[in-house]
């Protein structure tokens, strides 16, 4: 450095500073939440692994108000609804094992946990690991309690069928909108006597009156199962195929999503198979030609300000990915949903 005055100023401020000594006011607020004694912070590889490193509060499940939480992070380890490769029952555990997600979102310039009561409350309690029908009854009942308590749930599945019973609980009072990021529309019919499979949750949610198809947009759709998605078009859902995304641009896709869902309550569902399997091979139904993680991150960030009432990350099947990249992506997308949720909660609290 040739500017000796500048160098002297940097030395004066930083020569004896520790890692937690941050001077920018916004950054300093984050640092204060992470460091003690100016340079000590929790080891990311130690302690109990939780979703987004949130406090672990399994006992909250036993309380009518879930301990007064604003946001509940929930695992839904159930994959009895898959049509081919099972394994997403291990998704919640894999996403919990991902360390160092957050606490700061550098694009939105926010720390979503600030001022919020958030906890990982553990997994949905299932009566049986064998019964798909019973599992969905358990999911709906559990999320019904969460909805009654006025808490926003953010969930990690599990196969995509879980979204149906979550929507039945969250949409019980009025149909909600949906931003659905996926390779598949998941609006097919009953197969072999089962309506709870992961290929049809959103058809069933519409037919049950808990999902508004005209306030539903499906992004990233592609592959040979297109012929199964007639219901999406017939019901009035907006479908944006994966190959359309680069031509439109993420900004235009996000704007369209905002137009479709409007100002009403909206659920956001992210299926990890929306991504090209080059980035996320650990899933049950991979489809080549998908989105990139950067595209989905930009999309979610551009949705900040929507009236989100819940969201999920589904279809992470870690045993098909030796790198753990799929779980890493799942954890990051969960964090982005958390950011959207924090903004929505702040807006509700500020409303007259």
């Amino acid at each position: 450095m040739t500017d000796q005055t500048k160098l002297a100023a940097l030395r004066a401020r930083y020569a004896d500073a520790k890692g937690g000594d941050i001077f920018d006011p916004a950054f300093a607020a984050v640092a204060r939440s992470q460091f003690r004694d100016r340079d000590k912070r929790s080891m990311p590889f130690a302690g109990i692994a939780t979703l987004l490193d949130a406090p672990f509060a399994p006992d909250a499940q036993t309380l009518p108000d879930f301990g007064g939480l604003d946001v509940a992070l929930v695992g839904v380890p159930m994959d009895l609804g898959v049509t081919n490769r099972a394994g997403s029952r291990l998704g919640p555990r894999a996403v919990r094992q991902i360390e160092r997600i957050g606490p700061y979102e550098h694009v939105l310039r926010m720390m979503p946990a600030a001022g919020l009561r958030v906890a990982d409350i553990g997994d949905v309690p299932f009566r049986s690991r064998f019964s798909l029908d019973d599992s969905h009854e358990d999911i709906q009942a559990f999320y019904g309690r969460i909805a009654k308590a006025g808490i926003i749930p953010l969930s990690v599945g599990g196969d995509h069928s879980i979204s149906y019973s979550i929507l039945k609980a969250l949409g019980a009072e009025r149909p909600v909108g949906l931003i659905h990021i996926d390779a598949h529309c998941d609006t097919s019919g009953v197969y072999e006597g089962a309506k709870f499979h992961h290929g049809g949750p959103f058809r069933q949610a519409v037919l049950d009156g808990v999902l508004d198809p005209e306030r539903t947009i499906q992004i990233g759709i592609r592959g040979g199962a297109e012929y199964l998605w007639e219901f999406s078009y017939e019901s009035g859902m907006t479908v944006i195929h994966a190959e359309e995304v680069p031509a439109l641009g993420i900004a235009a896709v996000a704007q369209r999503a905002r137009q479709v869902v409007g100002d009403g309550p909206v659920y956001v569902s992210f299926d990890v198979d929306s991504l090209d399997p080059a980035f996320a091979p650990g899933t049950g139904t991979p489809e080549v030609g998908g989105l990139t993680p950067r595209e989905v991150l930009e999309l979610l960030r551009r949705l900040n300000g929507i009236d989100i009432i819940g969201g999920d990350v589904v279809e992470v099947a870690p045993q098909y990915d030796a790198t753990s990249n799929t779980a890493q992506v799942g954890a990051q997308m969960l964090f982005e949903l958390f950011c959207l949720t924090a903004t929505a909660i702040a807006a509700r609290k500020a409303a007259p």
Side-chain angles (χ1 to χ4, degrees):
M1 181 178 289
T2 58
D3 186 336
Q4 294 301 308
T5 301
K6 181 177 181 181
L7 178 58
L10 288 172
R11 285 172 172 167
R13 171 167 279 193
Y14 291 107
D16 296 321
K18 293 187 177 181
D21 292 334
I22 309 292
F23 301 98
D24 176 274
F27 291 162
V30 182
R32 284 194 296 271
S33 75
Q34 302 298 304
F35 289 91
R36 65 183 190 282
D37 299 331
R38 297 172 58 203
D39 68 343
K40 295 182 176 64
R41 54 179 171 167
S42 299
M43 296 180 290
F45 47 83
I48 298 173
T50 66
L51 296 171
L52 302 184
D53 293 325
F56 188 46
D59 292 343
Q61 294 191 19
T62 66
L63 305 174
D65 66 348
F66 289 82
L69 294 175
D70 297 303
V71 180
L73 305 175
V74 188
V76 194
M78 195 283 296
D79 63 1
L80 297 174
V82 297
T83 54
N84 185 22
R85 300 197 303 182
S88 57
R89 67 180 61 185
L90 301 177
R93 180 171 292 182
V95 173
R96 285 187 172 103
Q97 290 294 329
I98 300 300
E99 73 284 349
R100 298 186 65 251
I101 297 295
Y104 187 67
E105 216 295 351
H106 73 284
V107 174
L108 298 177
R109 298 184 65 83
M110 65 184 295
M111 185 172 66
L116 286 183
R117 293 165 294 179
V118 57
D120 181 339
I121 65 171
D123 296 337
V124 172
F126 290 109
R127 288 171 287 169
S128 170
R129 74 188 73 183
F130 304 109
S131 172
L132 178 59
D133 289 9
D134 285 352
S135 293
H136 275 276
E137 286 184 6
D138 294 339
I139 293 169
Q140 183 179 349
F142 188 75
Y143 282 85
R145 290 181 54 220
I146 291 176
K148 184 178 180 181
I151 298 167
I152 296 181
L154 298 177
S155 312
V156 178
D159 71 61
H160 217 155
S161 71
I162 71 168
S163 300
Y164 170 42
S165 293
I166 295 173
L167 284 169
K168 286 190 71 175
L170 301 188
E173 300 297 324
R174 75 288 185 242
V176 302
L178 173 69
I179 297 174
H180 173 208
I181 306 168
D182 201 329
H184 314 99
C185 286
D186 293 346
T187 50
S188 60
V190 173
Y191 293 144
E192 301 166 16
K195 70 175 183 177
F196 290 121
H197 59 82
H198 69 168
F202 303 117
R203 177 192 291 207
Q204 299 303 327
V206 169
L207 295 177
D208 283 351
V210 297
L211 175 63
D212 184 348
E214 295 182 355
R215 293 186 56 239
T216 294
I217 185 168
Q218 303 181 299
I219 301 166
I221 309 304
R222 62 193 186 277
E226 174 72 17
Y227 70 99
L228 299 173
W229 314 137
E230 175 183 75
F231 186 87
S232 288
Y233 304 106
E234 185 74 15
S235 64
M237 295 181 180
T238 299
V239 178
I240 298 179
H241 292 86
E243 60 272 15
E244 297 178 81
V245 172
L248 292 170
I250 295 298
V253 173
Q255 182 180 22
R256 182 66 178 132
R258 285 180 170 277
Q259 291 171 344
V260 169
V261 301
D263 297 328
V266 60
Y267 189 83
V268 181
S269 186
F270 170 76
D271 187 327
V272 76
D273 73 26
S274 64
L275 302 178
D276 192 278
F279 301 101
T283 191
T285 317
E287 297 278 3
V288 299
L291 306 176
T292 70
R294 184 183 297 147
E295 287 174 325
V296 178
L297 286 173
E298 182 182 351
L299 173 61
L300 290 176
R301 288 161 176 161
R302 287 181 177 275
L303 295 175
N304 197 36
I306 63 172
D307 186 17
I308 185 172
I309 49 90
D312 60 46
V313 172
V314 297
E315 300 284 352
V316 173
Q319 65 272 43
Y320 304 117
D321 181 2
T323 68
S324 79
N325 287 348
T326 307
Q328 182 81 36
V329 169
Q332 187 65 49
M333 299 311 174
L334 180 66
F335 181 69
E336 302 304 323
L337 294 180
F338 183 33
C339 291
L340 302 187
T341 300
T343 299
I345 290 173
R348 290 171 196 150
K349 290 181 177 179

